[in-house]
Amino acid sequence: MGSEDFPLLGTHNKKTIYDYLFIGIASGEVMSKAIAEGKKYPFYHHSANYQVDLSAIPLGTVIGATTLLEVFKK
């Protein structure tokens, strides 16, 4: 889930464990072009030019799930 209200799910309940990651919103080529233009990111969420590199979804899912599972090991 990715929205600005996401942290509200856990801020009042200290037993809640969650992770919030920004992963793969742009391909390497798009990101390099943005950096060359002096931008920190090529585009932002909630904007008309927002794009998603769909190939990043599987990797992002693995990273998010692995991170959360590692927290539960402790």
Side-chain angles (χ1 to χ4, degrees), residues 2-66:
S3 69
E4 58 279 345
D5 60 348
F6 177 77
L8 297 176
L9 296 172
T11 55
H12 298 295
N13 181 352
K14 299 303 177 193
K15 293 181 182 179
T16 301
I17 298 172
Y18 61 88
D19 59 353
Y20 191 88
L21 307 167
F22 292 103
I23 299 172
I25 65 162
S27 69
E29 182 180 303
V30 171
M31 191 68 195
S32 294
K33 182 180 175 191
I35 291 169
E37 293 172 355
K39 300 177 185 175
K40 187 172 182 178
Y41 303 108
F43 34 78
Y44 293 88
H45 58 286
H46 302 293
S47 69
N49 68 344
Y50 183 71
Q51 300 172 35
V52 175
D53 177 2
L54 296 178
S55 68
I57 292 174
L59 176 60
T61 302
V62 169
I63 292 170
T66 302

